[in-house]
Amino acid sequence: MFFCFFEQTLLLMLLLLLAAFEIQDRSISTFTFDGHLSFEDDDDDAVRAAAAEDFGRRCRRMPSAVLYPESVSDVSKMVKYVYGLGSASELAVAARGRGHSLQGQAQAHNGVVIDMQSLRLPGMIFHLGGGGGGPWVEVSGGELWINVLHRSRKHGLAPRSWTDYLHLSVGGTLSNGGISGQAFLHGPQIDNVHRLQVVTETENKDLFEAVLGGLGQFGIITRARIALEPAPRKVKWIRALYSDFSTFTADQEALISSENDAFDYVEGFVIINRTGLLNNWRSSFNPRDPVLAEEFTSEGKILYCLEVAKYFSQEDSDHSVDQEVETLLSGLNYIKSTLFISEVSYVDFLDRVHFSEMKLREKGLWDLPHPWLNLLIPRKSIHTFAQEAFGSIVKETTSGPVLIYPVNKSRWRNQTSFVTPEEDIFYMVAFLSSAVPSSNGSDSLENILARNKRILALSSSHNLGIKQYLPHYSTREEWETHFGTKWDVFRRRKMAYDPLAILAPGQRIFQKGHDLGRE
């Protein structure tokens, strides 16, 4: 068993840190861990039941045991034990961060769930620059991004790339990609990693790239070295509306393609037949022209909201920032009466979804089924998709936001396991719905799932070249189609690093006990 560090150098040096040990034929319950193992014989059903749920609230798979590791050795022991049982055993292992998967991807039916949040030692290690490159921070794979942000800011630093929600584990987002409105500048989170520590069953120089975006299939990320940059002080947070989709996407693409001054964050969302929209914004934003804003109505319309942000530091004067923002906005073609601006702290901007979460929790509206659908749509297909989907399949957006924004992957790494459309510019389109269990309307789980099925059918029938983000498929053929030209490499890596397919069974890509070479 190895727990290994991989550095992104020309050689991607592999450092062996733990010697292999013999597995004896004994029950998992007899192992001694630095942390704690909750086993089914302990009658601790509540612990295992919690590990059987996830954010999607649609899949429930009860594990036989939950490990709360306090050392990398704990993780290593467990993986080695399960691997040593061989292909005759059905026992498998799933690493779980915050459990924000949507379709049971971090679950392990009758297997072992490793709760990575308990793995916090050693603590965060900062390198502030100078010899050895930097700045960077090295953190546990189970650490939350919000904690990384707070600790980094004490040094005047922050990671460069984020997800929209920060209360997720580092290992979890690095296993999927990590995309948000900063990706057009810095790439996804997997492009901002210098080094990984991974628990795996073998060693190979390309494991670093394999694990990033690898859906947990090749090893468990126990530590990561994250690139940092000087932390901004405040943020100009801006929203404006468009009624024409072509104008909206043209402005978005122009903003992410700017070679000089640009916004630091570019996203957007679709709004269909919403009432009192601009009035709802007033709790957080100020209208540029209050009189014209009062006259604008959103009822019965399909609108597209551009959301951008400009970061500024302690050295930037408010006047210079305002001038820069005005220059950037002057080239855009939004509806002038709908420009709203807010100035917030950098932390408040990045943690904005958590504030919404707290409000929903107070109303009992957070722990609902979340039948989310996240799509990566090539630029050539986005107009066809929008014409068919918005206003036809998706007739309202009251059950949750519909995000839409472009990214440019021309400077991204291309050897990771992360799957994207073939075009350099593609759009993230995320249908982030919450289902109301007692509802019979459009926000019921049944209706949202039916809508998602129609959207996926649209994607297939028109051959739009769309890929799922946070993917979920039911058959091997669908997975092969998803990975496309990367499938052979992905399967080869699985055979090399997890030949018994014991890792991440909830993804349902490979099955333990099957011949991976024949699948």
Side-chain angles (χ1 to χ4, degrees):
M1 164 54 54
F2 301 95
F3 63 93
C4 311
F5 281 110
F6 295 87
E7 293 191 83
Q8 191 196 10
T9 65
L10 291 177
L11 297 180
L12 291 175
M13 183 181 298
L14 173 65
L15 302 178
L16 178 60
L17 299 180
L18 184 65
F21 62 89
E22 295 297 323
I23 287 294
Q24 301 175 7
D25 184 15
R26 56 179 176 169
S27 168
I28 189 176
S29 61
T30 65
F31 269 65
T32 300
F33 295 99
D34 297 321
H36 171 66
L37 178 69
S38 178
F39 195 65
E40 58 186 351
D41 291 346
D42 298 336
D43 295 326
D44 197 352
D45 290 341
V47 169
R48 292 187 298 117
E53 301 282 358
D54 63 16
F55 183 68
R57 293 289 192 275
R58 295 177 53 211
C59 298
R60 188 177 188 275
R61 300 181 177 90
M62 183 73 80
S64 294
V66 179
L67 175 64
Y68 297 90
E70 291 187 4
S71 66
V72 177
S73 177
D74 284 351
V75 180
S76 178
K77 281 183 182 180
M78 182 58 72
V79 173
K80 182 65 177 180
Y81 171 76
V82 176
Y83 189 81
L85 296 176
S87 59
S89 168
E90 295 183 357
L91 200 65
V93 178
R96 175 187 173 95
R98 285 297 303 278
H100 266 256
S101 56
L102 302 173
Q103 299 274 4
Q105 289 94 331
Q107 298 171 11
H109 178 63
N110 290 334
V112 180
V113 171
I114 301 179
D115 191 320
M116 299 300 293
Q117 289 189 88
S118 66
L119 182 62
R120 296 293 178 88
L121 296 175
M124 297 186 200
I125 299 173
F126 285 88
H127 177 77
L128 304 182
W136 47 256
V137 59
E138 200 165 274
V139 303
S140 164
E143 190 60 83
L144 303 185
W145 284 103
I146 184 64
N147 296 336
V148 177
L149 172 63
H150 287 312
R151 288 287 302 279
S152 298
R153 286 190 70 251
K154 292 181 179 179
H155 299 279
L157 300 167
R160 296 184 296 211
S161 190
W162 299 97
T163 53
D164 286 327
Y165 183 63
L166 304 190
H167 295 252
L168 303 172
S169 70
V170 169
T173 65
L174 295 183
S175 295
N176 286 282
I179 298 180
S180 77
Q182 299 91 4
F184 78 96
L185 275 179
H186 302 295
Q189 289 181 316
I190 58 174
D191 273 14
N192 293 275
V193 182
H194 296 317
R195 182 175 178 177
L196 292 175
Q197 183 189 65
V198 181
V199 171
T200 184
E201 271 303 323
T202 186
E203 57 180 285
N204 189 286
K205 66 181 181 180
D206 79 339
L207 183 56
F208 177 86
E209 302 286 0
V211 168
L212 294 172
L215 305 178
Q217 293 297 306
F218 311 115
I220 298 175
I221 298 173
T222 52
R223 203 154 181 84
R225 181 174 291 179
I226 309 298
L228 301 176
E229 66 178 3
R233 175 172 60 97
K234 286 190 176 181
V235 175
K236 291 284 188 181
W237 184 10
I238 302 161
R239 287 179 178 173
L241 294 175
Y242 293 71
S243 58
D244 179 74
F245 187 73
S246 295
T247 305
F248 170 68
T249 54
D251 277 1
Q252 281 192 319
E253 290 178 20
L255 289 175
I256 70 164
S257 301
S258 175
E259 295 293 334
N260 300 311
D261 291 337
F263 286 109
D264 298 285
Y265 161 98
V266 176
E267 286 198 10
F269 48 94
V270 183
I271 304 153
I272 302 176
N273 195 22
R274 296 281 294 275
T275 61
L277 176 66
L278 296 188
N279 284 333
N280 293 336
W281 287 2
R282 292 175 185 271
S283 61
S284 302
F285 295 82
N286 296 314
R288 171 62 59 85
D289 190 323
V291 175
L292 288 179
E294 284 286 350
E295 297 174 355
F296 182 83
T297 61
S298 56
E299 291 83 353
K301 299 177 181 178
I302 301 176
L303 297 167
Y304 308 96
C305 178
L306 175 68
E307 184 171 59
V308 294
K310 186 66 181 176
Y311 305 158
F312 54 101
S313 66
Q314 194 71 36
E315 292 74 27
D316 297 321
S317 69
D318 291 344
H319 178 69
S320 64
V321 173
D322 288 340
Q323 283 189 319
E324 188 173 357
V325 167
E326 286 299 323
T327 299
L328 292 169
L329 290 174
S330 65
L332 303 179
N333 297 290
Y334 54 87
I335 301 171
K336 300 307 178 183
S337 61
T338 67
L339 182 64
F340 278 62
I341 300 178
S342 178
E343 184 176 303
V344 296
S345 73
Y346 183 58
V347 172
D348 285 351
F349 173 73
L350 292 180
D351 206 25
R352 61 197 180 279
V353 177
H354 183 60
F355 295 144
S356 298
E357 173 191 347
M358 293 299 98
K359 294 178 181 178
L360 291 173
R361 284 190 182 278
E362 291 176 359
K363 299 176 181 178
L365 297 176
W366 182 256
D367 294 323
L368 300 176
H370 296 97
W372 288 5
L373 179 62
N374 299 272
L375 303 176
L376 305 178
I377 303 178
R379 179 188 185 187
K380 67 181 181 181
S381 302
I382 191 62
H383 291 274
T384 299
F385 179 87
Q387 183 177 5
E388 295 287 337
F390 304 142
S392 178
I393 298 176
V394 183
K395 297 183 178 181
E396 58 182 39
T397 52
T398 55
S399 63
V402 177
L403 303 185
I404 179 169
Y405 58 91
V407 296
N408 189 335
K409 67 173 183 179
S410 61
R411 295 190 296 271
W412 293 16
R413 293 176 185 161
N414 58 13
Q415 299 302 318
T416 69
S417 297
F418 189 31
V419 174
T420 63
E422 294 181 0
E423 275 194 274
D424 280 346
I425 293 179
F426 61 88
Y427 280 76
M428 163 68 87
V429 180
F431 300 89
L432 307 182
S433 301
S434 297
V436 180
S438 60
S439 173
N440 294 318
S442 61
D443 56 355
S444 70
L445 179 60
E446 180 180 348
N447 285 332
I448 295 173
L449 290 176
R451 185 200 68 183
N452 289 352
K453 186 175 181 180
R454 291 182 63 192
I455 293 171
L456 291 173
L458 162 66
S459 304
S460 301
S461 63
H462 286 66
N463 193 27
L464 299 181
I466 293 173
K467 300 294 184 181
Q468 285 191 34
Y469 179 59
L470 310 177
H472 168 73
Y473 299 100
S474 301
T475 68
R476 171 54 54 84
E477 291 73 23
E478 289 173 321
W479 278 113
E480 289 186 19
T481 300
H482 170 75
F483 282 102
T485 58
K486 285 191 171 186
W487 172 250
D488 287 341
V489 173
F490 193 85
R491 184 168 60 88
R492 174 185 61 76
R493 285 169 165 173
K494 185 68 172 180
M495 293 171 64
Y497 307 134
D498 182 23
L500 297 184
I502 71 169
L503 296 173
Q507 294 284 358
R508 296 180 291 283
I509 305 174
F510 303 98
Q511 295 184 34
K512 187 175 181 183
H514 286 222
D515 185 349
L516 301 185
R518 293 179 180 272
E519 288 186 339

